[in-house]
Amino acid sequence: MLRHLHLSLLLIAVAALLAGCASLPTPTARSSTPEGAALLEAAATAHGWDAYTRAGDINLRHDGRWYEAIARVQPVLTDVDFRATAEERIVVGARASAKSYSGGAGGAKLASRTPGSVEVWVNGELENNVEKRAAAALVLDAYRLFWLGPLFLKEQGAVVEALGAGRVGGAECDWLLARLAPGFGFAAEDRVMACVGRSDRRFVQLRLSVDGLASTRGAVVEVDLGDYIVVQGVALPTRLSERVVRPLPLPVRDWWLVGADVGRGYAVEALAGPVWPTTVAAPAQALPR
């Protein structure tokens, strides 16, 4: 029994140590520093900022798998009965996006997000649950960061500063710290650390707070980004992997981009539910295998 107690205390100590190492630094600047702004600008250029501003809209299709433990810990956020395959739509310059989910056991779900609203439809019925709407808003905002990286940070007007050199998975990078106010979903503020690759200035890894839900407040997650493709001038990651690093290490999800196209020409209003018009609903163009 004493041995088990010692083991439990050791595990708690290790978890606490890992959580401390995975914390996000507190921003020191009230406005973007010259070094931070230059690093963000270089990354945005590498991701195709000019092409992005001309695109009008970004249309994505992605698939993935959840890890069982996170689904038990965060059932509302993971929403595994619906969040299987997703068609995602982003309207450039509007800070707006939407997702149509299919393939899960629960049926069909559509969620849309603008800076002033979030709308969730489940099997054709409007969802009014406050926690579920907050979770949908958090997911939509965070996924725009995951796909767009520095394009998202620049469009959101993030306050940024450079943190110095680092290394992730053998890749040399420069760390960028960004403060977003408002944050993801209904959070007043969130912070993002981005590993900006030295070789190509593309985002290699993200570390971010997710304070938009009571159940995730104080948590920190990491997302690895890789296997970029360029679609009409815009660089998009095709392989992504997410894990919780604070308060306890926990794998979350692996997912991959299977379709992408840009410039269909619809407006923000077209993203609203319960059913998308054909221009929005048509599947994203399949990527070559």
Side-chain angles (χ1 to χ4, degrees):
M1 184 173 181
L2 186 60
R3 180 183 177 185
H4 288 308
L5 177 60
H6 287 163
L7 179 59
S8 297
L9 291 173
L10 177 61
L11 290 174
I12 290 171
V14 170
L17 177 62
L18 289 171
C21 293
S23 62
L24 289 164
T26 300
T28 61
R30 296 175 62 90
S31 58
S32 294
T33 65
E35 297 80 5
L39 183 55
L40 177 59
E41 189 66 30
T45 298
H47 280 246
W49 174 257
D50 288 344
Y52 175 70
T53 59
R54 297 191 300 268
D57 51 78
I58 309 288
N59 308 284
L60 308 171
R61 180 179 178 86
H62 57 89
D63 205 348
R65 63 170 182 135
W66 293 99
Y67 287 89
E68 185 177 348
I70 193 66
R72 292 198 303 267
V73 173
Q74 286 287 347
V76 174
L77 187 61
T78 57
D79 198 18
V80 295
D81 283 345
F82 293 94
R83 291 182 62 190
T85 298
E87 291 282 350
E88 187 160 359
R89 305 293 180 258
I90 298 169
V91 178
V92 176
R95 302 184 183 184
S97 65
K99 284 178 179 281
S100 175
Y101 298 100
S102 61
K109 177 179 176 179
L110 190 150
S112 63
R113 168 80 165 140
T114 68
S117 68
V118 59
E119 185 181 79
V120 181
W121 295 83
V122 177
N123 294 319
E125 299 292 328
L126 190 62
E127 175 63 75
N128 292 313
N129 180 278
V130 173
E131 185 181 17
K132 292 181 179 180
R133 293 177 67 252
L138 191 161
V139 168
L140 285 166
D141 288 352
Y143 268 64
R144 283 175 54 223
L145 169 67
F146 300 160
W147 296 122
L148 302 176
L151 309 180
F152 170 87
L153 295 179
K154 185 172 179 178
E155 189 171 71
Q156 294 288 123
V159 174
V160 295
E161 56 188 283
L163 295 180
R167 181 182 292 269
V168 170
E172 293 186 352
C173 65
D174 294 295
W175 285 103
L176 179 74
L177 177 64
R179 177 166 55 87
L180 293 165
F184 303 112
F186 297 157
E189 181 176 306
D190 274 307
R191 287 169 290 162
V192 177
M193 277 179 63
C195 172
V196 185
R198 285 271 180 90
S199 63
D200 58 11
R201 284 315 192 205
R202 290 177 180 170
F203 278 15
V204 177
Q205 186 185 87
L206 295 162
R207 182 181 294 174
L208 59 145
S209 61
V210 282
D211 287 347
L213 288 175
S215 61
T216 62
R217 201 158 296 139
V220 176
V221 301
E222 278 184 353
V223 179
D224 293 328
L225 314 167
D227 295 345
Y228 279 86
I229 61 166
V230 177
V231 180
Q232 294 191 34
V234 180
L236 299 166
T238 63
R239 294 282 174 178
L240 305 93
S241 182
E242 180 181 2
R243 58 196 164 272
V244 176
V245 294
R246 182 175 182 168
L248 292 173
L250 196 64
V252 174
R253 193 184 191 205
D254 300 320
W255 73 103
W256 43 91
L257 187 66
V258 297
D261 61 72
V262 306
R264 297 187 183 184
Y266 52 79
V268 172
E269 292 75 17
L271 300 182
V275 179
W276 283 341
T278 302
T279 306
V280 179
Q285 184 174 334
L287 298 179
R289 294 184 178 273

